[in-house]
Amino acid sequence: MLNRRGVLAAGGIAAGVFGVPKLLVPAEGHENSTHGKHPVTYQESKSFSGPKPVVVPWARPMPVPPVLRPLVSTPKQEIYELSIDDTTAEILPGLQSPVLGFGGQFIGPTIRAKTGRKTLIMFRNNLKEGANVHLHGGHVPPEHDGHPKDIIAPGRTRLYLYPNTQQGTTLWYHDHSHGTEAQHVYLGLHGTYIIEDDSERGLGLPTGAYDVPIMLRDIHFDDSGNIVVFDDPAKRTTVLANGIPKPYFEVAARKYRFRLVNTANQRLFKLKLTGDKFTHIGSDGGLFGESKVAAELTLSSAERADVVIDFSKYPVGSKVVLTDDVAGEILRFDVVRRASDSSRVPAVLRPLPALPLSTVDREIDLAFLFKPNQRPDGLINGKVFDMDRVDITVKRGATETWLIKSSDPVGVKHNFHLHLVQFRVLERNGGPPLPSDLGLKDTVPIMGGETVKLQATFTGYTGRYVYHCHFLEHSWIGMMAQMEIVP
Ligand SMILES: [Cu+2]
């Protein structure tokens, strides 16, 4: 059986000989369930040889990732240490699967930051290969953005500074190391990073134990219970809520704020609640201007949805299930006790920033270059990513309008992510944005043949940042480009 280094190396080779690029097709439905290629099981040293453990629905509680404790905390800054580890996790019941994890945990600890207070984190890479950390959605200097070239060598540390100058929101941190980000994130290098701010606190939304991040993702176990990497995403049929398939979560009969984060490498969730609706209060970059009632939430890879669910109308003993239109039941909320509730969900939250006048127009095309009997390349505006090439130059402070498009055929899906700043979606296919496009955004799905017009203002820092498809097997084969922000 391959060890980890062997697996990662073999994965790179295997990817080069894939005939049919099902690896590059996001999991949404079972239409891609047959294909010919070379998935690789991920194992530490010995193969699991028993029967694959059976997931009994609602048998295990959904864990809430622990909040990381700072080593030093002052009103101006907090200092943390966090390791990047080879570890194991009990994802399937009774089976310890080899995975990667921040702080030794498959779902990394939650970091709670505050607007106006810096976060400094010393990451230590305990892997046998390079890794790094990107704060997804964070407004951070370029040397702290986890640029693909900035790798933490095995056994080394790197200090990341997050200024937290942006408003309260739900971000996440994950690996962004060049050529290995897809495997590393798939194997567990992901955690939630929450920024809180005083004006948000003043709204009276649920807090403390009633403010719960939920990381949703999919994973592929083979018939023996091994995690499969470099696979067909349609086979990632085990959906996890905070690392557990089909868990229950005990709630009081009151309001809860849930911060949903899609950490899947490539998946579009369509989420519903049995017999209930979400109160949708925010997206990637923070709160909406007004709360909205939503029967369904579309959440593509790396997107976040900030929602409130009010369980106060339910008698103790009630169950409410979170479902996906493809995966079916994901997570059951069990109402187990009554509770007082002084929290509120105001109809008016806080206004979004005004849209400045845009002075630059660009077109960004995400597409594959298909090649016979070879792995395709991922292209942005016709080019494979080169981390030494600057693709566009942006003047600091400029407001720009980007028409994101995909010249791929209808049915192919991509997922555009811009580093450094949040944007606003102005149009989709020349019409109004979808509900899932609203608010401050850093990631947006885009289908073959579609266009998404967005506007961004490049405040803050100068230097080099990437923009890419956030289906990680797409950025991994080159669907990434680089901008340089200049004074
Ligand atoms: Cu893509």
Side-chain angles (χ1 to χ4, degrees), residues 167-411:
Q167 65 176 16
T169 188
T170 306
L171 309 179
W172 61 299
Y173 60 101
H174 64 78
D175 180 272
H176 212 306
S177 54
H178 187 52
T180 39
E181 74 274 35
Q183 306 94 298
H184 284 178
V185 175
Y186 183 73
L187 289 169
L189 292 185
H190 43 41
T192 306
Y193 185 103
I194 294 169
I195 302 179
E196 298 166 341
D197 73 47
D198 289 337
S199 82
E200 189 173 313
R201 192 172 291 269
L203 294 172
L205 294 162
T207 59
Y210 308 108
D211 174 2
V212 179
I214 302 179
M215 301 182 81
L216 298 173
R217 59 161 292 172
D218 53 12
I219 191 164
H220 176 188
F221 289 97
D222 69 13
D223 290 341
S224 300
N226 300 303
I227 295 175
V228 186
V229 296
F230 305 107
D231 59 338
D232 175 352
K235 293 195 171 181
R236 298 173 188 169
T237 53
T238 302
V239 171
L240 311 178
N242 285 346
I244 300 287
K246 293 195 195 303
Y248 66 86
F249 186 65
E250 293 188 339
V251 295
R254 53 154 290 157
K255 289 186 283 301
Y256 280 74
R257 179 180 188 176
F258 294 108
R259 301 166 186 263
L260 305 175
V261 186
N262 181 348
T263 64
N265 274 24
Q266 40 175 323
R267 186 171 189 114
L268 199 109
F269 287 108
K270 287 187 180 161
L271 303 170
K272 291 189 179 121
L273 294 169
T274 52
D276 207 342
K277 292 176 178 168
F278 306 95
T279 302
H280 195 185
I281 59 172
S283 57
D284 303 346
L287 294 175
F288 292 144
E290 295 101 32
S291 56
K292 308 167 202 303
V293 175
E296 181 181 272
L297 292 175
T298 301
L299 198 65
S300 191
S301 291
E303 289 188 302
R304 285 85 71 205
D306 202 341
V307 302
V308 172
I309 304 175
D310 187 354
F311 298 102
S312 66
K313 56 189 166 295
Y314 295 105
V316 168
S318 301
K319 325 279 189 199
V320 179
V321 180
L322 178 71
T323 66
D324 170 63
D325 71 337
V326 172
E329 296 176 321
I330 293 177
L331 162 65
R332 191 178 75 185
F333 299 102
D334 293 358
V335 182
V336 296
R337 62 187 168 89
R338 306 226 54 90
S340 62
D341 185 1
S342 59
S343 71
R344 319 183 286 129
V345 188
V348 175
L349 296 163
R350 68 174 157 207
L352 295 172
L355 284 167
L357 188 67
S358 170
T359 56
V360 177
D361 289 326
R362 300 185 195 272
E363 282 193 11
I364 308 289
D365 180 41
L366 310 183
F368 292 123
L369 175 63
F370 293 106
K371 299 183 281 191
N373 302 317
Q374 284 184 63
R375 189 197 75 183
D377 287 332
L379 307 178
I380 291 191
N381 290 0
K383 291 178 180 165
V384 172
F385 179 57
D386 175 351
M387 60 182 155
D388 296 319
R389 183 188 68 224
V390 172
D391 295 281
I392 59 173
T393 302
V394 175
K395 183 108 174 121
R396 178 170 62 186
T399 296
E400 301 199 353
T401 303
W402 291 19
L403 187 71
I404 314 301
K405 58 182 194 169
S406 173
S407 53
D408 274 336
V410 171

Side-chain angles (χ1 to χ4, degrees), residues 24 366-368 408 412-415 469-471 474-475 479:
L24 308 171
L366 310 183
F368 292 123
D408 274 336
V412 176
K413 302 178 183 68
H414 297 295
N415 200 45
C469 182
H470 212 293
F471 289 151
H474 297 192
S475 55
M479 204 175 288

Side-chain angles (χ1 to χ4, degrees), residues 14-257:
V17 297
F18 287 169
V20 181
K22 288 287 168 56
L23 171 67
L24 308 171
V25 181
E28 191 193 23
H30 300 292
E31 69 273 20
N32 303 314
S33 57
T34 58
H35 66 106
K37 55 185 191 59
H38 310 280
V40 182
T41 59
Y42 182 74
Q43 278 287 326
E44 181 84 284
S45 56
K46 58 177 184 283
S47 175
F48 177 72
S49 57
K52 180 181 179 180
V54 175
V55 173
V56 177
W58 330 130
R60 287 188 289 165
M62 180 185 77
V64 177
V67 175
L68 191 63
R69 292 168 63 104
L71 303 175
V72 175
S73 181
T74 73
K76 294 217 165 139
Q77 64 178 22
E78 290 193 310
I79 303 174
Y80 299 86
E81 272 180 359
L82 194 52
S83 55
I84 303 172
D85 297 315
D86 285 317
T87 185
T88 60
E90 188 178 335
I91 302 169
L92 295 177
L95 175 63
Q96 291 293 333
S97 295
V99 294
L100 307 180
F102 288 110
Q105 299 162 60
F106 178 65
I107 299 288
T110 299
I111 296 165
R112 282 199 177 257
K114 195 173 169 204
T115 300
R117 183 170 65 190
K118 295 183 182 101
T119 299
L120 289 138
I121 310 180
M122 180 70 83
F123 282 94
R124 171 176 295 280
N125 180 10
N126 293 330
L127 307 185
K128 296 181 186 69
E129 61 184 50
N132 77 1
V133 184
H134 168 55
L135 178 61
H136 184 113
H139 188 61
V140 310
E143 63 272 29
H144 299 289
D145 194 48
H147 191 284
K149 70 177 166 47
D150 290 333
I151 301 299
I152 314 171
R156 303 300 293 269
T157 60
R158 185 180 177 110
L159 183 66
Y160 287 80
L161 163 66
Y162 302 136
N164 302 319
T165 51
Q166 64 206 94
Q167 65 176 16
T169 188
T170 306
L171 309 179
W172 61 299
Y173 60 101
H174 64 78
D175 180 272
H176 212 306
S177 54
H178 187 52
T180 39
E181 74 274 35
Q183 306 94 298
H184 284 178
V185 175
Y186 183 73
L187 289 169
L189 292 185
H190 43 41
T192 306
Y193 185 103
I194 294 169
I195 302 179
E196 298 166 341
D197 73 47
D198 289 337
S199 82
E200 189 173 313
R201 192 172 291 269
L203 294 172
L205 294 162
T207 59
Y210 308 108
D211 174 2
V212 179
I214 302 179
M215 301 182 81
L216 298 173
R217 59 161 292 172
D218 53 12
I219 191 164
H220 176 188
F221 289 97
D222 69 13
D223 290 341
S224 300
N226 300 303
I227 295 175
V228 186
V229 296
F230 305 107
D231 59 338
D232 175 352
K235 293 195 171 181
R236 298 173 188 169
T237 53
T238 302
V239 171
L240 311 178
N242 285 346
I244 300 287
K246 293 195 195 303
Y248 66 86
F249 186 65
E250 293 188 339
V251 295
R254 53 154 290 157
K255 289 186 283 301
Y256 280 74
R257 179 180 188 176

